[in-house]
Structures are given as structure tokens and as C-alpha cells.
């Protein structure tokens, strides 16, 4: 399950799965600072409508969280199509490519799926690294774009120089700094943040 982190000004006030974060914010005492909620997976801010009852708020969350579906909206499944969803789209290849694919066990479709899965496995580490860096950069751009050392910290992030990044952001507000470093850390999975939402708090 994707997780989200809410900030009021520069203070982290809630973190966890989106339903829990939404309800924590709904029932929190009035917060003077503007509240921004970030996806831990993408580092992008999202908008929530916290009007109405808890049930009404939760009912609106999937669309607001950008929940993905296996089947594109408005495209009906064909009869007999597996439950996991197989989507037919055009693929353009040279004749020799089609000839090779057709000669593979299971035919062209099975061979293509195997090739895609192999490429995904081989590139998974690079994809995860890129996702972490992109998420960290999106977050720091939104929260720390005017902080001293932002440009240098951005360069350190994309060069993979974690030591220099930590040094450059050491004087940033604690919650912003810690969240940025968590998003950027190779040991951290951006999609698996704190298991439960936090109680709103304030602090430097």
C-alpha cells in the first residue's frame, strides 16, 4: 500500500496510508500553516477534499490518490480474457522480428511477455533508484526550493553522493531534511513508509 506524508509548513504532522492520514487531518485541531500531502512513492503533492463525514472522505480517496487499474477506463474486457487483464495494442516490428517471435514456444505473445518480464527484472534496480531520486527531487523542489544549498543538494542527489547530500541539508528544518533523506535512501522503499498515521504535531 502506498503511503503519504502531510506537512504543515515545515513540520511533518501525519504519515501513513492515505485513509489514515486523511482522517487524522480531518479530526486534527485547527492548523495555522497550510497543509500539503505528499505521495511517498512519487514525491508529488496531492489534493484531498476533507469535507463531509469520514465515510464520504474515504469514498473519494481512490480517485484523488490516482489509484491505478489494470483496465483502462471505458475499455471493456473481451470475453475469455484472463482476470489479470490482457490488453491488446499494436506492436510494430520488422519482418525478421515477427519471424523470430513466431518461432518461439508459445508464439509471439508469450515470447514478448517473457522478454518484457526479463527486461523488467534486469532493470529493476535502476528503475527503483530513478524512482527514489525523482520522488526526493519532487519533494525537495516543493518544500525546499528556496532553502540555502538547494541547487548543490539537487546535484548531490542525482550524482548519488549521499554523504554530500546529508551535509548540504543538515541545517534544513528537521522534518523536511529527514523525509528527503528517507525518500532518497537506497535502504528505503518510497512506497512503504510508516505503517500507521501519526498524530499531528509541530516542532522545528
Amino acid at each position: 500500500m502506498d503511503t503519504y506524508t502531510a506537512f504543515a509548513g515545515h513540520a511533518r504532522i501525519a504519515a501513513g496510508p492515505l485513509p489514515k492520514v486523511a482522517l487524522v487531518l480531518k479530526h486534527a485541531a485547527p492548523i495555522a500553516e497550510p497543509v500539503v500531502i505528499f505521495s511517498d512513492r512519487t514525491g508529488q503533492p496531492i489534493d484531498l477534499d476533507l469535507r463531509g463525514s469520514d465515510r464520504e472522505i474515504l469514498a473519494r480517496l481512490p480517485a484523488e490518490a490516482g489509484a491505478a487499474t489494470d483496465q483502462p477506463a471505458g475499455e471493456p474486457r473481451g470475453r475469455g480474457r484472463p482476470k489479470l487483464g490482457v490488453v491488446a495494442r499494436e506492436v510494430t516490428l520488422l519482418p525478421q522480428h515477427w519471424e523470430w517471435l513466431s518461432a518461439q514456444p508459445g508464439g509471439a505473445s508469450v515470447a514478448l511477455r517473457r522478454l518484457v518480464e526479463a527486461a523488467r527484472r534486469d532493470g529493476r534496480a535502476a528503475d527503483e533508484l530513478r524512482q527514489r531520486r525523482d520522488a526526493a527531487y519532487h519533494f525537495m523542489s516543493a518544500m525546499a526550493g528556496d532553502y540555502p544549498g538547494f541547487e548543490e543538494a539537487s546535484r548531490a542527489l542525482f550524482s548519488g553522493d549521499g554523504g554530500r547530500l546529508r551535509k548540504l541539508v543538515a541545517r534544513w528544518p528537521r522534518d523536511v531534511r529527514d523525509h528527503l533523506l528517507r525518500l532518497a535512501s537506497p535502504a528505503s522503499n518510497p512506497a512503504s513508509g510508516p505503517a500507521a498515521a501519526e498524530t499531528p504535531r509541530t516542532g522545528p
Side-chain angles (χ1 to χ4, degrees):
M1 178 181 294
D2 283 359
T3 57
Y4 297 78
T5 303
F7 281 79
H10 303 310
R12 187 181 65 183
I13 59 172
L18 189 58
K20 292 185 177 181
V21 171
L23 294 183
V24 165
L25 297 178
K26 167 68 175 179
H27 297 290
I31 301 172
E33 296 280 358
V35 175
V36 184
I37 305 168
F38 293 92
S39 164
D40 293 342
R41 179 172 57 84
T42 67
Q44 299 276 17
I46 66 166
D47 293 324
L48 290 184
D49 183 352
L50 299 179
R51 297 173 297 176
S53 67
D54 289 2
R55 180 175 295 181
E56 290 170 333
I57 292 170
L58 295 178
R60 288 192 294 262
L61 292 184
E64 291 171 341
T69 59
D70 291 332
Q71 185 72 11
E75 183 177 327
R77 291 188 185 277
R79 177 178 296 180
R81 206 173 274 182
K83 290 184 178 180
L84 289 178
V86 176
V87 179
R89 294 179 181 172
E90 181 179 351
V91 176
T92 303
L93 299 174
L94 295 173
Q96 60 266 33
H97 299 151
W98 284 116
E99 182 179 353
W100 183 87
L101 286 170
S102 299
Q104 302 308 303
S109 294
V110 172
L112 281 173
R113 286 198 290 271
R114 288 174 178 168
L115 290 171
V116 170
E117 288 302 320
R120 289 180 61 190
R121 287 194 300 270
D122 294 343
R124 185 166 298 163
D127 290 343
E128 290 177 353
L129 175 61
R130 182 173 59 253
Q131 177 178 306
R132 283 196 305 269
R133 289 178 178 174
D134 287 348
Y137 181 74
H138 290 149
F139 171 75
M140 68 188 292
S141 296
M143 291 293 291
D146 58 351
Y147 285 5
F150 171 81
E151 295 295 340
E152 292 83 354
S154 299
R155 286 192 285 270
L157 171 67
F158 284 102
S159 68
D161 191 341
R164 179 164 173 75
L165 176 62
R166 287 189 291 272
K167 181 178 179 180
L168 289 166
V169 304
R171 296 184 179 275
W172 289 8
R174 181 190 63 186
D175 287 350
V176 174
R177 176 196 66 213
D178 291 351
H179 189 63
L180 167 63
L181 293 176
R182 186 181 74 82
L183 292 179
S185 171
S188 171
N189 182 349
S192 60
E198 300 176 349
T199 301
R201 64 178 179 83
T202 58

